[in-house]
């Protein structure tokens, strides 16, 4: 009976503990949805030895577009001038030639070697359209650290991100790259639903440059105001910045261009070029990302016109994620507060989240 009680208590909070040593995680922004290994070297070695990462094979086979997106995010963070701040977490990867040492170690960061391995991952992903074993074989031949790095990129993602079928996509977003994105663990989701019963909720966009999403998928949406993570100003105070208007959030995602001649700002639209489905995210150097979040409409939510600031991170949950290639963006005039837009969101989101 005691063990049954323990299991019942622990299942909802498995994500809060290391999958190897069972010690509680210490995360800056609270726990995330998927369980993970902690950063202790012994746990990293055990994680590798136990073959926990072998699930990567299935992910690459069934979710190729998600895998390529994760790789593209990793590349953007690694190539950023701000990489020492935003490339977090840094990989813990066991050396396949010496399983007692770490080839990539957060305590001894080597961005150049990491870049070399990532370049090998990308070149094989772009060229090889064979089975997972064939992809692994090609990577091992090119760089022995390429495949272990790919495994880490997949297994360290602590959010649930899956491609939405066409029938479940939001047509008004004008992109076929639409994903369900859930990062809140059961405890946070429960707190969110309790607050929702009290205050209600609505939907708003959150835009952030692609280089930031590598960290967001592993650490959650953080309140970056007045921290080293802050990229844009915090003119309206401390909190997570959201907007019901798509063009405002597209601006934060890196799609606002300043005209050299007139210094005016405008949302950049570029016609999407046709490219093969295979590894498409890896071939585009200009990916823009925007999330659609559900936010609690309590008095804590500060509305400054169409710029909203939520200082309570528990009151914001990601629901959808949209990706645009080659600088292309969707309709700049989407307003999540319009009844027809809300109706479409609820049509899609009802079966995806609330039924689970």
């Amino acid at each position: 009976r005691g063990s049954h009680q323990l299991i019942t208590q622990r299942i909802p909070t498995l994500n809060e503990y290391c999958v190897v040593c069972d010690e509680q995680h210490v995360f800056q922004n609270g726990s995330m949805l998927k369980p993970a290994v902690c950063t202790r070297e012994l746990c990293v070695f055990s994680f590798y030895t136990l073959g926990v990462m072998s699930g990567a094979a299935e992910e690459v086979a069934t979710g190729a577009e998600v895998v390529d997106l994760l790789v593209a995010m990793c590349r953007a963070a690694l190539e950023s001038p701000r990489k020492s701040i935003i490339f977090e977490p840094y990989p813990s990867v066991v050396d396949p030639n010496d399983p007692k040492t770490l080839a990539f170690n957060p305590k001894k960061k080597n961005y150049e070697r990491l870049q070399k391995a990532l370049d090998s991952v990308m070149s094989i992903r772009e060229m090889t359209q064979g089975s997972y074993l064939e992809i692994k074989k090609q990577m091992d031949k090119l760089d022995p650290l390429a495949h272990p790095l790919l495994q880490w990129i997949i297994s360290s993602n602590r959010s649930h991100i899956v491609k939405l079928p066409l029938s479940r996509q939001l047509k008004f977003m004008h992109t076929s790259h639409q994903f369900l994105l859930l990062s809140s663990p059961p405890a946070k989701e429960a707190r969110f639903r309790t607050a929702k019963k009290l205050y209600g909720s609505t939907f708003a966009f959150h835009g952030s440059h692609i280089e930031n999403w590598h960290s967001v998928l592993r650490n959650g949406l953080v309140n970056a105001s007045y921290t080293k993570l802050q990229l844009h100003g915090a003119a309206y105070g401390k909190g997570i910045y959201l907007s019901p208007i798509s063009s405002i959030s597209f601006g934060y995602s890196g799609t606002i261009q300043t005209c050299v001649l007139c210094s005016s700002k405008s949302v950049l639209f570029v016609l999407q070029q046709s490219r093969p489905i295979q590894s498409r995210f890896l071939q585009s150097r200009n990916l823009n990302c925007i999330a659609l979040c559900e936010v609690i409409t309590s008095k804590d939510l500060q509305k400054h016109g169409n710029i909203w600031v939520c200082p309570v991170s528990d009151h914001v949950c990601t629901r959808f994620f949209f990706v645009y290639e080659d600088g292309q963006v969707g309709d700049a005039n989407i307003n999540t507060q319009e009844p027809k837009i809300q109706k479409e969101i609820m049509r899609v989101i009802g079966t995806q989240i609330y039924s689970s």
Side-chain angles (χ1 to χ4, degrees):
R1 187 180 172 183
S3 59
H4 174 73
Q5 243 177 347
L6 177 66
I7 291 168
T8 308
Q9 289 169 350
R10 282 298 302 278
I11 284 177
T13 58
L14 283 176
N15 55 294
E16 295 175 18
Y17 296 84
C18 172
V19 295
V20 177
C21 70
D22 204 38
E23 288 290 322
Q24 197 157 11
H25 286 302
V26 181
F27 290 118
Q28 178 191 356
N29 195 42
S31 55
M32 293 287 284
L33 178 58
K34 288 187 178 180
V37 68
C38 71
T39 54
R40 295 178 186 87
E41 289 186 19
L42 184 62
C43 292
V44 174
F45 291 129
S46 303
F47 192 59
Y48 173 81
T49 309
L50 290 167
V52 183
M53 288 182 173
S54 59
E58 192 181 335
E59 298 246 7
V60 171
T62 59
E65 196 165 335
V66 170
V67 172
D68 287 338
L69 180 59
L70 293 174
V71 171
M73 288 172 173
C74 182
R75 173 183 68 183
L78 186 56
E79 292 180 354
S80 168
R82 301 168 63 235
K83 63 175 169 280
S84 61
I85 298 169
I86 63 167
F87 192 75
E88 185 63 39
Y90 184 93
S92 294
V93 172
V94 174
D95 189 337
N97 296 321
D98 184 3
K100 292 183 179 177
T101 63
L102 289 178
F104 293 125
N105 188 341
K107 294 175 184 173
K108 301 173 186 172
K109 295 178 180 177
N110 184 341
Y111 293 112
E112 283 184 26
R113 183 63 186 93
L114 195 56
Q115 184 71 60
K116 181 177 179 290
L118 188 61
D119 288 344
S120 299
V121 169
M122 293 178 59
S123 63
I124 296 300
R125 292 288 293 163
E126 287 176 9
M127 290 186 305
T128 309
Q129 297 189 27
S131 66
Y132 175 78
L133 287 175
E134 182 58 31
I135 290 172
K136 181 186 181 302
K137 194 167 133 188
Q138 294 292 332
M139 284 185 186
D140 289 343
K141 197 185 296 182
L142 194 59
D143 185 334
L145 297 185
H147 180 253
L149 177 60
L150 177 62
Q151 285 184 308
W152 178 85
I153 290 170
I154 295 167
S155 64
S156 65
N157 167 35
R158 305 194 62 221
S159 299
H160 177 65
I161 179 167
V162 290
K163 179 75 184 286
L164 288 171
L166 280 172
S167 62
R168 289 289 168 196
Q169 292 191 1
L170 295 166
K171 306 292 186 290
F172 58 77
M173 291 307 294
H174 299 300
T175 176
S176 60
H177 308 309
Q178 300 194 19
F179 304 86
L180 181 70
L181 174 59
L182 306 177
S183 55
S184 303
K188 179 182 173 180
E189 193 69 51
R191 291 193 298 272
F192 183 90
R193 292 187 188 198
T194 301
K196 182 177 173 178
K197 283 177 186 173
L198 286 172
Y199 308 110
S201 71
T202 189
F203 294 90
F205 295 107
H206 176 81
S208 191
H209 196 279
I210 186 174
E211 67 183 34
N212 296 320
W213 287 101
H214 169 81
S215 175
V216 171
L217 293 187
R218 291 159 179 82
N219 300 313
L221 266 183
V222 298
N223 180 343
S225 306
Y226 311 121
T227 71
K228 61 183 180 178
L229 292 169
Q230 181 177 315
L231 180 59
H232 302 282
Y236 297 100
K238 193 175 181 182
I240 295 171
Y241 277 61
L242 304 149
S243 178
I245 307 298
S246 57
S247 60
I248 292 173
S249 294
F250 276 130
Y252 284 99
S253 75
T255 52
I256 292 288
Q257 296 282 309
T258 302
C259 174
V260 178
L261 296 175
C262 62
S263 297
S264 65
K265 292 185 176 180
S266 60
V267 179
L268 175 67
F269 290 87
V270 179
L271 288 174
Q272 185 176 350
Q273 297 171 345
S274 60
R275 62 167 82 252
I277 297 293
Q278 180 75 8
S279 67
R280 57 192 312 154
F281 293 142
L282 303 185
Q283 295 172 21
S284 175
R285 280 281 170 179
N286 192 5
L287 292 177
N288 296 307
C289 309
I290 188 172
L292 183 63
C293 305
E294 189 173 3
V295 57
I296 300 297
T297 49
S298 71
K299 64 179 188 301
D300 292 312
L301 181 62
Q302 301 152 19
K303 296 183 179 181
H304 307 274
N306 288 322
I307 295 178
W308 298 357
V309 184
C310 184
V312 185
S313 58
D314 265 8
H315 284 190
V316 181
C317 286
T318 55
R319 298 305 188 201
F320 293 108
F321 191 69
F322 309 97
V323 181
Y324 298 84
E325 297 177 87
D326 302 314
Q328 176 207 20
V329 292
D331 186 343
N333 300 312
I334 301 161
N335 183 345
T336 61
Q337 302 309 289
E338 288 181 8
K340 64 176 183 179
I341 297 293
Q342 289 184 335
K343 186 179 177 183
E344 177 67 5
I345 292 170
M346 291 312 298
R347 179 190 72 82
V348 172
I349 212 171
T351 53
Q352 299 288 345
I353 295 168
Y354 301 132
S355 60
S356 60

